[in-house]
Amino acid sequence: MELLVAIMVGVLVAASVHLMLARNVLRFIFGLVLISNAANLIIFASGRLTPESPPLIAEGETTPALDAANALPQALVLTAIVIGFGLFAFALTLVYRAYQNLGTLNSDEMRVAEPQAQKPSTAGQVAEKQYIARDADA
Amino acid sequence: MADTGAEVPRLAGGPAGWVSILIPAALFAWFAQFLGPVAAGEVLLIGFDWVPSLDIRLEMMVDGLSLTFALLITGIGTLVTLYSTSYLGAHPEYPRFVLYLMAFMVGMLGLVLSDNLIALFVFWEVTTISSYLLIGFTSDSAKSRRSALQALLVTGTGGLALLAGMILLGQAAGTFSLSEILTMGDAIRGHAHYDAILVLFLAGAFTKSAQFPFHFWLPNAMAAPTPVSAYLHSATMVKGGVYLMARMTPTLGGTEPWFWALIIAGGFTTVFASVLSIRQTDIKQVLAYTTLMALGALTLFIGVGTSAAIKAAMVFLVVHSFYKAALFLMIGIVDHEAGTREVGDLRGLALKMPVTFFAGALAAISMAGIPPFFGFIGKEFLYDAGLEAETARIWITGTIFAASVLMFVAAGIAVARPFLGKLPERFKDTHEGPWTMWMGPFLLGALSLFFGIYPDIPEVWMVGPATDAVYGSDVDVDLYLFHGINAAFILSMITFAVGLVLYLAHQRLRDGLARIIAANPIKFDPGWDRTLDGLRAIAEWQTRHLQSGILTRYIFITFATFAVAMAVTLWWQDVLNFRLDVANELEGLLFKHWAVLLFITAGAILAALTRSRMTAIAALGVVGIGVALIFIMFSAPDVAITQLLVETLVVVLVAVAMLKLPHLHVRTAEPHRPHHALLAVAVGTVTTLVMVAVLQGNLDLRLTEYFNETAYYEAYGSNIVNVILVDFRALDTFGEIAVVVIAALSAYALLRGTRYGTIREDGEALRDTVDDAVLPDPAARSADGEGRA
């Protein structure tokens, strides 16, 4: 099963890399979600996969069953999931906000910080100018 | 030697001037006390532990070589600082100058006295940095700054090479103590890293001592105030490399590569520099090139390495320090009083500046190698050693002959030209410099004569012990002025004859040289500028390509680097050398396993390829739920619960955001991206391979076992995952909560901002239309909500 999970994680990573390389920042966010999942699976599987034996101590016992699953990667993954979610929520807000201000989801057109001589699109240009003008007003 | 003239109440330069004179004078006196023991053959070690944990001891090794250098540094240092009080005492930045000069002196003394290689390197760099500050002292001049930077970069680069060489040497020898390394020469020469050590050491020494092809910084460094030139380029800075080569002779010397590297570099520098010195019209530049020549000769003779050659090198080292410092100081006085150093302008100053002329003449006669001066002895020894050399005799002797002839000419240019002849009108009011200035050159010139008449004195106290230290065993040093009519003597006579002829013709010679040099396409100084420009261009090119400002390119580079680094590591570590047990892998695989694997895979591919937002969200949901199912099937119920909650929230948040965001295909239609697809597949493959490699390895279960055994007894919990999170790794969990809170606060701040104005897709500005409630603060609401029991 581990080998198959490894192959599947490879597909997940490939898909997320392809998404993260897209110009559309929303796609990038999708890639971020996928790659978090892939990373969590890698941590989880590297502690080996143990079917149907959670790391719990039975009533009246003091240690878990001998064949219990590895608890350490589970704890790590749990933390990773939550942090991954925090990152995702923030990134999504950022994308939303960027769209509100710049009127585009195309990362190539988001050039307020690093302006280029030739702008790829006039719409982006207009948005940018307005954004800068508004900043100057404020 | 250290006459500070205490009877003179006022000294230009004030307290800083006094301090600057007294420190080297006191040090000179302190070092002088070691003359007796060292002359008797003792090697003194004085020191204390500096960094005991790294086995670095700050220890002074006082033997013949280092003591000779120390006395030259402090003795000439005293005269130079005395001189500076008049030359620079009125300068508003004079105290700064004194500080730099003292720092330099400390660095130089440390360099020649350190017994520890690392300490030696530190002091080596102290001299590099302080010489940078000294050469660039007139920092309002662009030329001065450029020269300083050039000296810093050339010698600093060499210094880095030297550091690498020292570390290799220290590892080869098993110690960083010079006094110990000096005794294990055979082991080092036979070591596998000998060639690398040699190349790195020579890179350091050649850059510091301005050997060809690193010579170009030294004449430029003449932009420094004259006392600095006199100090740095007679006895100290540039002799640092010579010291290193001399010091390393017992350890690294005596091999073929050592011999040829030093012979060729030294010989070439000698001839090249002495020819160029005739070409100069600025007398300071003439002297700068003869300094190059002297450094070349010293390198050459250290390379020859016979006892006669080492002896000759040590004599010449002392001879050169005396007359070169004197001549630099002399031309400084002329410059100070007459306002120019141009050989074409200066004439007949002898009557106006008699003492300076006298001092300069003494030094110049020594430089020209005329008996009975010390310089004559130095030249005779060079000839003797050259004629005795077993290999490359013609090359060595010829080099020295050419150099001696041209030194004769240069000495004439430096002293006879400015002082003799008819005094031009413009110098009518020129007068003698103050005693503080002529004292240095006068003493040094007088010593050049005194040592020539009584050669026993330098022989017993300096040259003899220094030669022993470099050669590694006792050498019979017997300095004498006249040793019969032999080959060296005849060569000397020919030298004078040819030198005189060339001096008389030197103006024509100079014009001819100027034409030849102008026609020569290889120029080092412009080459240096081009090198720097090239470096700058590379930096610009690299910045333009790496920092393009295009997000997708950054991500591409990041992932490509990751893939390459991982692939190379996998290949390097040879971890892909395993056999897959496919039958075992497939055994016990149930329908549910297959179903989950296929669902996740399909979901991922679909999310990557779809052009529809809704499909993408659904595909993401499939992947997330699939992952949660894997957690459930493989005994991780807590993780699965968290994953389900988070996944639900992700889909909800994305769906809410979609209400406000355009469709995926709107104006951001992705072009066909084959190279992105290729990179994606590569990263995926590498990830799979790394994972397989990890799974093949042994699993270290010590931590898990520790948690299993202690969870109940120490944390009173029966859910081990929870115990780890809230007890054993509570601080980590606290950090995690902090991260989520910060994300929530940041998201909140971002969403608040939307109130104050937004821009629609067509670029038209809207005000106050976006209601915060549309996109509820996502993280804040969920941060604590998804709890994990």
Side-chain angles (χ1 to χ4, degrees), chain A residues 1-3 6 10 18 21 23-24 37 48 50 52-53 57 70 74 78 82 85 97 99-101 111 130, chain B residues 549 552 585 592 635 643 668 670 673 680 688 695 697 704 713 718 736 746 753-754 759 761 763 782 788:
Chain A
M1 185 68 187
E2 273 103 343
L3 177 68
H18 192 258
L21 283 167
R23 280 189 205 158
N24 188 323
N37 276 324
R48 302 301 186 271
T50 316
E52 283 136 28
S53 181
I57 300 172
N70 193 344
Q74 291 192 19
L78 221 154
V82 178
F85 174 71
R97 171 70 193 190
Y99 178 69
Q100 293 296 318
N101 282 328
R111 309 217 42 121
Q130 283 170 341
Chain B
T552 50
E585 181 67 29
K592 58 178 183 184
S635 322
Q643 170 77 13
T668 49
E670 300 289 341
R673 304 181 283 143
T688 300
L695 292 170
T704 305
Y713 293 108
S718 52
E736 169 204 340
S746 316
T754 52
I759 294 160
E761 238 175 88
S782 54
R788 61 186 94 81

